[in-house]
Amino acid sequence: MEPQLGHPRRWQVLGVLVFSLLAVVLDNTILNVALKTIADPVEGLGATQSQMEWAINSYTLVFAGLLFTFGVIGDRTGRRRMLMIGMALFGLASLASAYSQDPGQLIVARAFMGIGGAAIMPATLAIISNVFPPQERGKAIGVWAGGVGLAVAIGPITGGLLIEHFWWGSVFLVNLPIVLIAMVLIALVVPESRDPRPSRLDPIGVLLSVVGLVVLTYGIIRGGELATVASAEVLVPTLLGVAVLALFVWYERRIDHPAFDVTYFRDARFATAVGLVGIVFFAMMGAMFFLVFYLQIVLGHTPLQAGALMIPFAAAQLIFAPLSQRMVRRFGGKPTATLSMLVVAGVLASYALMDQNTPLVVIEIIFFVQGAAMANIMPPATTAIMEALPREKAGVGSAMSNTVRQVAGALGVALLGSVLSATYRDEIAPALAGLPERLREVAGESLTATMGTAQSLGARGAALVDPAKAAFLDGMHVTALVSAAIALIGALVALRWLPSGDGGATASPAPSAPSAVPDSAIGEGDLGRKPAVV
C-alpha cells in the first residue's frame, strides 16, 4: 500500500468500521430510554436507583479506564485482531445483559460490555489512520464521527420502539445481529496493521485508576442511598477512592510510559480545555439521568414517546456542530465557549421550573437549545487541546480529553443521582409514614419503587402517587440547580483561562460523538492511542 495513496478499499473499510461502532453507540443511548422499564419490579428487574446508576457507570468506568491500554495492545498484537476480539466480547456481554436475572448480573455484564467497547473504539480510529493517506484522513475521520453522531440521534427512538414491542432485554439483544454482521465484514474487508514501535503497557496505572474511580463512585452513590455523607459507609470508600486516585497521579508522574500522562495538565490551556469538557458532561449526564423518569413517570409518556421527545436535542447537535467552527473563527474560542456554557447553565436551571403541567413544546424548545449550545462548546475546547500540545502528541491529548469526558459523565450520574435520591427520600418520607417499616424502606428508595408499591397496594396505594411525583419533582429541581451551578463554573473557567483565538481550528467534532482528530495530528506512533468516547 502506497502511503500517499492509501489502501485501495479504504472507503469500504471506513463503512465497515462505522457499522461496527453502531452497536456500541446505540447501546448507550438506548439504555437511557430503558431505565424506567428495567427499574420496574414487574416488567423489569426491580432495580433501585443506585443499581441503575451502576448499570450506567460500570460500563463507563471500565470503558474509560481501558481505552489507552487496549490501544497499545492493538498496536502490538494487531488492530483488526483487537477489533474482532472487542466485537466478540461486546456481543457476548450484550447477550448476558439481555438475560440478566437480577440487577447485580446486569451490572457485571455491563462492565464486560465496557471492556469490549474499550477494545473496539481505539482500533477503529487506528485502522482509519492506517488505511487513509494524510490528505484524506481528516475527511475519513469526519465521516466516522458523523456516523457515530447519527447513531446517537437514532438511539432514543430505537430504544423506545424496542421497549414498546418487546421486553427490556431487547435493547441489548439488538446488538447481536450488528456484531455478527460486523465481524464477517471485518474479516473480509479490513486489513491487519500494527505499530512497529508500540508503547509499553502500564498495568499498574490502569489498575489504580479503575479501582480508585470505582471505589469513589461507590461512596458517592452510597451517600445517595443513605441520604447522608456522615456515615462511615460513605466516608470510608469516598476517602479511599480519593487516596487511590492521588496514588495514581503520583505514580503516573514518575514512570516513562504512563497510561494517562498527567504532566500535560501543567499547561493551563490544556487543563482548562479538558476541564471544560469534563464539567459540561458532568452536568449534562447527571441531568439526563433524571429526565428519563420525568418524561416517562411524571408526564406519563411511553418509552417510544420519551425517545421521540429527545430527538430535538440530537437534531440540534447534528445541525449546529458542522457550523460551530464558523462561530469560533468569527467570535473566538473564549466568547463562543463561555456564552455556550452560560446557555447550558440556563437550560439546566430551567428544569427547576418544570412540573406536571409544563407544555411539551416548551420542553422540546429547551432540549433543542441545549443541543445547540453543546454543539458550540466542544470545538473551541478541542482547538485549545490541540494547540496546547506538540503536533505529534495531539492524538494522545485527544484520547486524554475523551477519557476525562467519560469519567466526568460517570461521576455526574453518581453525584447528581445521589442528590436526587437523597432529596427524594426526605420529601417522600411523610407520605410513607403509615406503612410497615419494611415496606416503607423499599418504597422510599426511588420514584419507581414508590410507584411499584402504590400499585401493589391497590386503592390504598393510590394516595401515594401524587406525593411521589411531587417529591420527585422537588428532587429534580434541586438536582437541576446543582447541575446549573456546575455549568456556571464551567462558563467562568472558560472566561478566565480558555484561549481567545480560533487557533486555525480543528475539525468540528460530531454531536455527542468522539472528537475528530485532524489529519495533521496523527502520527504512526499515536495510531492506537486516539480512543474516542460515545
Side-chain angles (χ1 to χ4, degrees):
M1 180 179 68
E2 291 293 331
Q4 296 303 315
L5 297 179
H7 193 278
R9 293 189 297 175
R10 56 191 178 277
W11 294 106
Q12 292 95 314
V13 172
L14 177 61
V16 171
L17 295 177
V18 171
F19 181 79
S20 300
L21 279 176
L22 186 61
V24 179
V25 180
L26 280 176
D27 177 75
N28 284 277
T29 50
I30 284 176
L31 179 62
N32 285 333
V33 177
L35 285 175
K36 182 256 181 182
T37 306
I38 294 173
D40 191 286
V42 178
E43 297 182 16
L45 298 176
T48 65
Q49 181 165 306
S50 63
Q51 289 170 331
M52 289 184 290
E53 292 173 37
W54 276 115
I56 296 173
N57 287 341
S58 62
Y59 176 92
T60 303
L61 295 175
V62 171
F63 186 103
L66 295 176
L67 279 173
F68 281 93
T69 297
F70 279 161
V72 175
I73 293 174
D75 287 347
R76 289 174 173 270
T77 64
R79 294 154 184 153
R80 184 179 71 171
R81 178 181 298 175
M82 180 57 63
L83 183 57
M84 291 285 281
I85 292 172
M87 293 299 297
L89 181 56
F90 192 87
L92 291 172
S94 297
L95 183 64
S97 296
Y99 290 100
S100 297
Q101 300 300 303
D102 58 59
Q105 291 181 16
L106 177 61
I107 291 168
V108 172
R110 286 278 297 163
F112 277 98
M113 290 178 68
I115 297 174
I120 294 168
M121 274 289 182
T124 57
L125 271 177
I127 292 169
I128 290 172
S129 301
N130 186 262
V131 301
F132 279 89
Q135 66 270 21
E136 292 181 348
R137 204 173 285 154
K139 180 180 179 181
I141 292 177
V143 171
W144 172 88
V148 172
L150 183 61
V152 169
I154 66 175
I157 194 72
T158 303
L161 284 168
L162 290 170
I163 294 294
E164 193 95 344
H165 295 95
F166 305 99
W167 100 112
W168 64 268
S170 63
V171 302
F172 300 109
L173 213 56
V174 71
N175 294 333
L176 295 184
I178 299 174
V179 166
L180 292 173
I181 295 172
M183 291 181 71
V184 172
L185 294 175
I186 291 167
L188 294 175
V189 177
V190 178
E192 184 60 281
S193 63
R194 293 177 177 83
D195 187 346
R197 298 181 301 276
S199 299
R200 294 165 60 190
L201 297 176
D202 177 22
I204 295 177
V206 171
L207 181 63
L208 288 174
S209 65
V210 173
V211 170
L213 288 170
V214 169
V215 174
L216 173 62
T217 303
Y218 172 82
I220 294 172
I221 292 177
R222 189 64 178 147
E225 288 182 306
L226 300 177
T228 180
V229 296
S231 170
E233 293 183 59
V234 178
L235 289 175
V236 171
T238 301
L239 295 176
L240 180 60
V242 171
V244 173
L245 290 176
L247 178 61
F248 164 74
V249 172
W250 177 86
Y251 179 78
E252 295 295 280
R253 291 180 60 186
R254 282 159 177 78
I255 63 172
D256 58 4
H257 54 284
F260 191 90
D261 194 344
V262 295
T263 60
Y264 288 137
F265 287 88
R266 294 172 181 168
D267 188 303
R269 290 182 301 167
F270 180 84
T272 300
V274 173
L276 186 63
V277 171
I279 287 171
V280 71
F281 277 91
F282 180 99
M284 187 200 73
M285 290 299 293
M288 296 296 281
F289 183 77
F290 65 65
L291 284 175
V292 174
F293 301 96
Y294 171 69
L295 293 175
Q296 293 189 39
I297 298 181
V298 177
L299 298 187
H301 296 294
T302 66
L304 176 58
Q305 292 169 335
L309 288 172
M310 298 303 295
I311 289 177
F313 175 81
Q317 293 196 47
L318 285 171
I319 294 169
F320 289 99
L323 305 175
S324 59
Q325 211 57 40
R326 298 182 187 177
M327 297 286 291
V328 175
R329 291 193 185 99
R330 181 170 183 178
F331 301 107
K334 184 196 291 282
T336 301
T338 302
L339 179 60
S340 297
M341 283 297 299
L342 287 173
V343 173
V344 169
V347 167
L348 293 172
S350 73
Y351 292 142
L353 303 176
M354 291 184 181
D355 56 26
Q356 291 175 263
N357 302 312
T358 302
L360 281 183
V361 65
V362 173
I363 297 174
E364 296 291 78
I365 291 172
I366 289 173
F367 285 172
F368 186 85
V369 171
Q370 182 177 351
M374 284 195 61
N376 284 288
I377 292 173
M378 300 305 293
T382 303
T383 300
I385 290 169
M386 297 306 177
E387 285 182 338
L389 299 177
R391 176 176 296 181
E392 67 273 11
K393 294 295 183 182
V396 178
S398 177
M400 292 176 68
S401 68
N402 284 319
T403 300
V404 169
R405 170 179 166 176
Q406 276 283 60
V407 170
L411 292 178
V413 171
L415 184 59
L416 297 177
S418 294
V419 171
L420 175 64
S421 179
T423 307
Y424 180 81
R425 283 172 177 268
D426 287 343
E427 295 295 326
I428 195 61
L432 304 176
L435 299 178
E437 183 178 352
R438 175 57 187 159
L439 194 58
R440 186 167 65 244
E441 182 179 337
V442 172
E445 288 180 346
S446 65
L447 174 62
T448 307
T450 307
M451 299 299 280
T453 300
Q455 188 175 6
S456 68
L457 293 175
R460 181 186 173 194
L464 296 177
V465 173
D466 288 339
K469 291 181 178 180
F472 177 83
L473 286 171
D474 287 342
M476 172 178 141
H477 294 162
V478 171
T479 307
L481 291 175
V482 174
S483 301
I486 293 168
L488 185 59
I489 292 173
L492 296 175
V493 167
L495 181 64
R496 174 62 180 85
W497 287 292
L498 200 66
S500 298
D502 65 6
T506 57
S508 296
S512 294
S515 300
V517 183
D519 56 5
S520 62
I522 302 173
E524 177 65 21
D526 287 332
L527 291 183
R529 291 173 296 286
K530 293 179 292 301
V533 173
V534 175

